[in-house]
Amino acid sequence: MSIASIMVAVDDGRHARTGVRLAADLAHRLGARLVGAAACMPDYPQGYGETAVPMGMVIEEIRQAALDRCAAAEQVFRHGSCLNDCVEWRSDIAGPVPFLAGQSRAADLVVVGRYAEDESVRPGMAVDLGDALMGLGRPVLVVSAGIEHLEARRIVVGWKNTPQTRRALSDALPLLRRAEAVQVLRMTDDGDRAEVDDVVRYLALHDVNASGHLAARSGWSVAEDLQKAVRAIDGDLIVTGGYGYSRLREWFFGGVTRDLLSETTVCCLMSH
């Protein structure tokens, strides 16, 4: 189990550079290849392809504008990854998430930024975090706007015995092994330590220095409780599963994944 190839989604947002720098630094420390990926869906006028809409130069100008945005994203990537030995760039005129999903076949981990309110990403280049998590088939490292370094020395694993969390734990092993301390945290009111103790013993077999903890829910969201836990140990990474319930249910009723994707201030490694 290793991370030999890291892919970073690049767009035209104001924090794109910091996201590339974080991915580049992580790839350098892990000895991994770094792949930059960007796609832009041209803003064709409504009715494009129908006889009532004029063709010609206007359509070509829109297409060229999309190509120019991808080229600008490549420059951001090249600048941010200039110290890395092994880099690749991939781009196309396409929907950002479908393109990223296709290219993620070449990655062990995909880094995607969480947008700030003033990010100013054009809609044709924006990567929806929920769509990416559901569709890539790879662990997704969600990076909040402005964070350009991930030490990952002290990590909190938000444990719930679901297929998604078990997968995230396995996907994160290369980072967990390198950490100084890993806290396996289960939010529960029943006091049963069997699950977390079992996970700690499992991680020890993989040379991970982990400890198990139980915590009663504070009355706030579980996502907020996880963020408080990682801040309490001076950590910077949460590892957990994503969308154990359907995304539609979380959209209506709320859920840990939705809250982490929308409000987390630390990096999150999530698997679905």
Side-chain angles (χ1 to χ4, degrees):
M1 299 178 183
S2 64
I3 296 176
S5 181
I6 296 175
M7 182 169 290
V8 57
V10 189
D11 51 46
D12 60 351
R14 64 188 300 262
H15 292 101
R17 295 180 186 277
T18 57
V20 171
R21 284 197 288 266
L22 183 145
D25 177 68
L26 185 60
H28 177 73
R29 286 189 284 122
L30 294 176
R33 174 181 67 171
L34 180 66
V35 182
C40 183
M41 179 62 72
D43 187 20
Y44 291 128
Q46 186 175 2
Y48 169 62
E50 299 174 7
T51 57
V53 176
M55 299 293 115
M57 292 299 294
V58 173
I59 297 302
E60 182 55 32
E61 288 174 3
I62 293 172
R63 182 178 181 277
Q64 187 58 51
L67 289 172
D68 291 344
R69 289 169 192 152
C70 288
E74 181 178 4
Q75 291 304 309
V76 170
F77 172 75
R78 297 292 183 188
H79 184 268
S81 62
C82 62
L83 299 180
N84 293 65
D85 295 328
C86 185
V87 298
E88 291 184 13
W89 174 255
R90 305 180 183 197
S91 64
D92 200 1
I93 295 179
V97 173
F99 177 75
L100 198 60
Q103 299 304 313
S104 65
R105 62 182 178 267
D108 297 306
L109 176 69
V110 180
V111 179
V112 183
R114 185 176 75 84
Y115 298 137
E117 292 183 1
D118 59 346
E119 195 69 31
S120 301
V121 179
R122 289 179 175 85
M125 292 195 81
V127 175
D128 182 274
L129 288 175
D131 288 346
L133 181 57
M134 293 287 287
L136 298 190
R138 288 289 189 266
V140 174
L141 179 62
V142 179
V143 179
S144 292
I147 297 178
E148 59 181 280
H149 184 71
L150 174 63
E151 193 66 29
R153 293 300 181 192
R154 307 182 72 82
I155 302 172
V156 168
V157 175
W159 178 255
K160 187 176 183 180
N161 196 18
T162 65
Q164 293 80 13
T165 305
R166 294 193 291 271
R167 188 171 298 117
L169 192 72
S170 179
D171 290 336
L173 276 176
L175 296 176
L176 298 176
R177 283 197 201 97
R178 298 168 65 92
E180 295 173 355
V182 174
Q183 183 182 109
V184 181
L185 178 65
R186 180 179 177 228
M187 306 301 302
T188 180
D189 297 318
D190 61 18
D192 186 355
R193 295 188 55 87
E195 286 188 17
V196 293
D197 289 343
D198 206 21
V199 173
V200 168
R201 289 194 298 270
Y202 164 78
L203 289 174
L205 296 174
H206 289 278
D207 300 318
V208 175
N209 179 28
S211 58
H213 299 263
L214 302 179
R217 297 183 181 181
S218 66
W220 299 95
S221 70
V222 173
E224 180 59 30
D225 289 337
L226 288 174
Q227 291 185 79
K228 287 181 180 177
V230 78
R231 288 194 295 266
I233 65 170
D234 195 26
D236 60 358
L237 179 63
I238 295 171
V239 173
T240 192
Y243 289 124
Y245 297 110
S246 74
R247 191 179 178 191
L248 181 62
R249 170 179 166 145
E250 290 215 5
W251 187 80
F252 273 113
F253 301 109
V256 179
T257 306
R258 189 199 67 174
D259 292 343
L260 285 174
L261 293 181
S262 64
E263 67 185 38
T264 184
T265 57
V266 299
C267 294
C268 293
L269 191 154
M270 310 177 80
S271 299
H272 175 71

